[in-house]
Amino acid sequence: MAGKNCVAIAGDTRFGVRNQTVALDSNRIFKINNRTLFGMTGLNTDILTLRESFKFQMNLYNLEEEREISPKTFAHNVAQTLYSKRFGPYFITPIIAGLEGEDYTPFLCATDLIGAMEFPKSFVVAGTGEESLMGVCETFYKENMEPDELFEVVSQCLLAAVDRDALSGWGSVVHVLTKDGITTKRLRTRKD
Amino acid sequence: MDSLVGFVGKNYVLMAGDTNAGRSIMRLKEDFDKLVPVDSHKILAKSGEIGDGNQFCNLIIRNVSLYRINNETELSTKSVAHYTRRQLATAIRKNPYSVNLLLGGYDKKDQKGSLYYLDYLGSSKKINYGAQGYAALFVGSILDRFWKEDLDFEDGLELMKKCLREVEKRLIIGTRCFLIKMINSDGIAVVEKVMINSKKKNEIEEEN
């Protein structure tokens, strides 16, 4: 979700196989650089493979360009990587959130599993509970939220949505990205 | 049909697997060791297709050996897990291996044990306790309730037997015989080969 010169990403931390929970502390939201956060939902193996692939690509980008990648460029990179497997896709839904440019304008991007991008101004959702998330985010979102308020709204949205979805939950983590840095907090959710 | 259970204790990792090798309704072998040593301080517990398990585990063991020969240094458990995951992930879309694994290892550098859950798709997760196969459905909640950080070896063994007792009693497919192995700073040791019969009064017999 986007606020006033800040963005937040929240995700749950359950790792399961269909209806069986395997682990409660899996992290699916990754920091690309000080301006970009990248979250993925979907098949765990593809999440790990793509995490490694993007880490490699970003390291190479930093060495070649001698600067940090901007969120918009990174989003396009993600979309291109996913489309390159158009007929044998990675089963993930990525979300990119970042602060673009000199004035730290919030940037949000969500793509589907083959890289079709959308750039909404308010919020993006992904995962097994995405319908619930969509509804509750629509209700609670307002423009130009300060970081503290943004954190509250994002947390409440996630908590409400994962309670309704059987396959989500078992702990959650919220990252708030402002020009001063990233704040990370873990929330307790229902353990069922 | 395979049951693998593992958890991390105080400076050790305890792993157990049933000793049945079967295909469809037939039990081919009753003393099949599913906990293969990768090197002196790591065990790869395999479940799933027997042939795939053998071939894949051989691949991992020999490549870990090669690394040691080339670089004169042992790989950490995390590195082996990472390498194994990568092999599974690249294979899944070409020539999949139907093996689900638990990798347990003790690292002398950190002086701690660690356990990794790896499945046939290439998912990987570092866990404190877990199981593969149907056993996971029964044993998951027992370990949630009774596992604690830094369990002593005696308490750990007791917990493992509690788990195996449950698997024997409630899993409809007969798995009576289990092999328990431990990894600690001295290496891999076979703790016990247990035979569990929940109908008998002395339900656990140690078989040597």
Side-chain angles (χ1 to χ4, degrees), chain A residues 40-57:
Chain A
M40 288 182 269
T41 66
L43 199 57
N44 186 266
T45 177
D46 288 341
I47 292 176
L48 294 171
T49 305
L50 282 173
R51 163 72 188 131
E52 289 159 21
S53 168
F54 287 126
K55 199 168 169 190
F56 168 76
Q57 286 181 35

Side-chain angles (χ1 to χ4, degrees), chain A:
Chain A
M1 198 177 276
K4 187 168 180 195
N5 296 334
C6 57
V7 285
I9 288 195
D12 70 332
T13 54
R14 176 183 179 270
F15 167 41
V17 179
R18 285 182 279 274
N19 60 350
Q20 186 191 337
T21 305
V22 174
L24 318 172
D25 57 352
S26 90
N27 181 31
R28 287 185 279 270
I29 302 173
F30 308 106
K31 176 182 153 182
I32 300 297
N33 57 37
N34 287 332
R35 299 282 206 112
T36 320
L37 286 170
F38 176 51
M40 288 182 269
T41 66
L43 199 57
N44 186 266
T45 177
D46 288 341
I47 292 176
L48 294 171
T49 305
L50 282 173
R51 163 72 188 131
E52 289 159 21
S53 168
F54 287 126
K55 199 168 169 190
F56 168 76
Q57 286 181 35
M58 290 307 106
N59 283 343
L60 214 51
Y61 185 96
N62 288 341
L63 287 170
E64 285 178 346
E65 302 258 336
E66 291 189 352
R67 65 188 173 98
E68 301 282 342
I69 198 170
S70 77
K72 188 148 163 259
T73 314
F74 179 70
H76 283 267
N77 187 1
V78 170
Q80 190 273 325
T81 307
L82 293 173
Y83 195 80
S84 70
K85 298 275 187 218
R86 170 64 177 82
F87 299 109
Y90 292 113
F91 297 106
I92 65 152
T93 326
I95 282 184
I96 299 106
L99 296 171
E100 184 85 40
E102 292 292 318
D103 8 312
Y104 299 92
T105 326
F107 171 84
L108 294 174
C109 174
T111 89
D112 67 0
L113 78 170
I114 46 174
M117 287 184 287
E118 278 304 326
F119 306 99
K121 295 270 175 283
S122 46
F123 59 86
V124 286
V125 296
T128 49
E130 60 193 355
E131 287 98 358
S132 311
L133 273 171
M134 192 70 85
V136 77
C137 285
E138 194 75 69
T139 314
F140 289 135
Y141 173 77
K142 47 187 215 283
E143 288 189 9
N144 288 333
M145 284 185 281
E146 295 293 329
D148 293 330
E149 202 190 343
L150 181 65
F151 169 78
E152 278 307 321
V153 169
V154 162
S155 308
Q156 292 307 320
C157 288
L158 185 73
L159 256 42
V162 303
D163 281 350
R164 275 288 177 184
D165 179 32
L167 298 176
S168 311
W170 283 98
S172 66
V173 61
V174 185
H175 302 272
V176 180
L177 175 63
T178 63
K179 71 172 195 278
D180 302 319
I182 302 179
T183 332
T184 305
K185 290 202 180 88
R186 293 193 170 262
L187 307 171
R188 277 174 34 167
T189 64
R190 278 170 61 121
K191 305 238 180 238
D192 63 2

Side-chain angles (χ1 to χ4, degrees), chain B residues 48-60:
Chain B
E49 199 72 41
I50 303 175
D52 282 354
N54 283 343
Q55 297 291 357
F56 184 74
C57 287
N58 267 340
L59 174 73
I60 301 300

Side-chain angles (χ1 to χ4, degrees), chain B residues 69-86:
Chain B
I69 292 167
N70 278 338
N71 299 293
E72 296 254 353
T73 176
E74 301 261 342
L75 279 169
S76 65
T77 315
K78 182 174 173 191
S79 305
V80 175
H82 202 257
Y83 176 73
T84 310
R85 188 209 87 80
R86 183 62 36 176

